Amino acid sequence: MELKIFKDKITVAKEFCDFFVDLLKAKEGLTVALSGGSTPKVVFDYLAGHDTAIDWSKVKFFWGDERCVPPTDEESNYKMTVEHLFSKINVPEENIFRIKGEADPEVEAERYANILNDKLPLAKGIPYFDLVILGMGDDGHTASVFPHQIELWRANKNCVVATHPDSGQKRVSITGKVINNANTVVFLVTGAGKAEKVEEILNKEEGYEQYPASLVNPDSQQLVWFMDKAAAEKLSK
Ligand code: 6PG
């Protein structure tokens, strides 16, 4: 595990962009599972504006999770990605494998699980991503596996249907077995609201394993936390 701590969100975005470009340079193609929420917005904006032309035709885009809403809904991770990335770059439509938030959640979880089996190489019989990008909620959730449903992390499936603990919103999420099968996993975690869980998880404090983010531990051992100082604030204490 590697911690990369930078002074602010923009620097996190710049540094992750450089990391991504280096990963892409080293490969013929790259499969990536994107995260949602707000943190990726600044990262996607930066990636889209990257001064060195990125050959986006080499990248295949998937999602680690999606809210069960239409792709036109403000809550949609796909919509956010179109606004901050796809609308600004030249990516072939056939390289985008969105989770259909408008579909029946259980049906879509099954469909997407099959997409992962069909479109990704398998390692140990499990879909294998070159890169999984994750965020972490203030409650320690990641992808859309929340502490109150932590058993979903260990589901023997590629995808599950989760429920947001506050809003009750349904979500389709990939599971721990897919996340921990990836070649590289990157956390993008910024803001003071994350500091408490970052400290509990990275310092393995009492009860830390109740947080799904603490269970991210790729077999490859290639796990990188990109954080700003605010999110890492309590680590140095
Ligand atoms: C989502 C996510 C989720 C997100 C965290 C952090 O669909 O919301 O994929 O796991 O990464 O909630 O979200 P922020 O970056 O907005 O804090």
Side-chain angles (χ1 to χ4, degrees):
M1 177 192 304
E2 186 183 356
L3 307 185
K4 290 178 178 278
I5 301 167
F6 303 103
K7 65 181 164 67
D8 55 25
K9 216 171 185 175
I10 281 290
T11 310
V12 167
K14 177 192 178 309
E15 295 293 336
F16 173 75
C17 180
D18 292 346
F19 178 91
F20 181 85
V21 168
D22 288 347
L23 265 189
L24 190 53
K25 268 188 199 142
K27 293 179 178 298
E28 281 308 300
L30 189 80
T31 56
V32 56
L34 301 176
S35 66
S38 58
T39 301
K41 292 176 183 174
V42 67
V43 174
F44 292 170
D45 286 340
Y46 203 97
L47 265 174
H50 190 271
D51 50 11
T52 309
I54 295 174
D55 179 1
W56 293 106
S57 68
K58 288 171 62 178
V59 184
K60 286 183 179 169
F61 292 94
F62 300 78
W63 276 263
D65 64 325
E66 180 59 277
R67 292 83 180 276
C68 295
V69 295
T72 52
D73 190 297
E74 275 314 303
E75 279 280 297
S76 165
N77 288 335
Y78 171 76
K79 182 175 192 288
M80 181 273 285
T81 311
V82 169
E83 284 169 358
H84 292 271
L85 184 61
F86 295 157
S87 59
K88 306 174 189 175
I89 63 173
N90 186 18
V91 55
E93 198 59 35
E94 63 269 20
N95 284 26
I96 299 171
F97 302 90
R98 91 180 162 88
I99 298 173
K100 295 180 178 174
E102 68 276 25
D104 170 86
E106 293 294 348
V107 170
E108 181 58 15
E110 184 68 26
R111 184 195 74 87
Y112 206 68
N114 292 329
I115 288 282
L116 299 183
N117 284 332
D118 296 346
K119 304 295 181 186
L120 293 172
L122 302 181
K124 295 169 279 187
I126 302 167
Y128 171 86
F129 279 107
D130 292 314
L131 173 62
V132 171
I133 301 172
L134 296 172
M136 184 190 73
D138 294 1
D139 61 355
H141 81 260
T142 193
S144 276
V145 180
F146 294 89
H148 76 297
Q149 291 180 317
I150 196 155
E151 72 285 357
L152 292 179
W153 180 267
R154 293 183 180 82
N156 188 20
K157 300 178 176 178
N158 294 341
C159 300
V160 288
V161 176
T163 307
H164 190 283
D166 303 325
S167 67
Q169 183 186 65
K170 293 287 184 203
R171 302 200 176 173
V172 172
S173 180
I174 61 176
T175 55
K177 80 171 196 173
V178 175
I179 291 169
N180 285 335
N181 198 45
N183 179 270
T184 303
V185 180
V186 163
F187 268 114
L188 297 176
V189 179
T190 61
K194 315 292 184 185
E196 187 181 290
K197 292 295 180 291
V198 164
E199 193 260 339
E200 286 184 61
I201 290 169
L202 293 182
N203 289 345
K204 296 187 183 336
E205 292 200 352
E206 171 81 20
Y208 78 102
E209 289 178 313
Q210 67 185 295
Y211 307 123
S214 75
L215 303 178
V216 176
N217 179 22
D219 299 345
S220 66
Q221 295 303 297
Q222 295 191 135
L223 170 60
V224 187
W225 287 70
F226 280 78
M227 291 185 278
D228 64 0
K229 276 200 173 126
E233 171 65 24
K234 294 180 187 293
L235 280 182
S236 46
K237 296 282 183 262

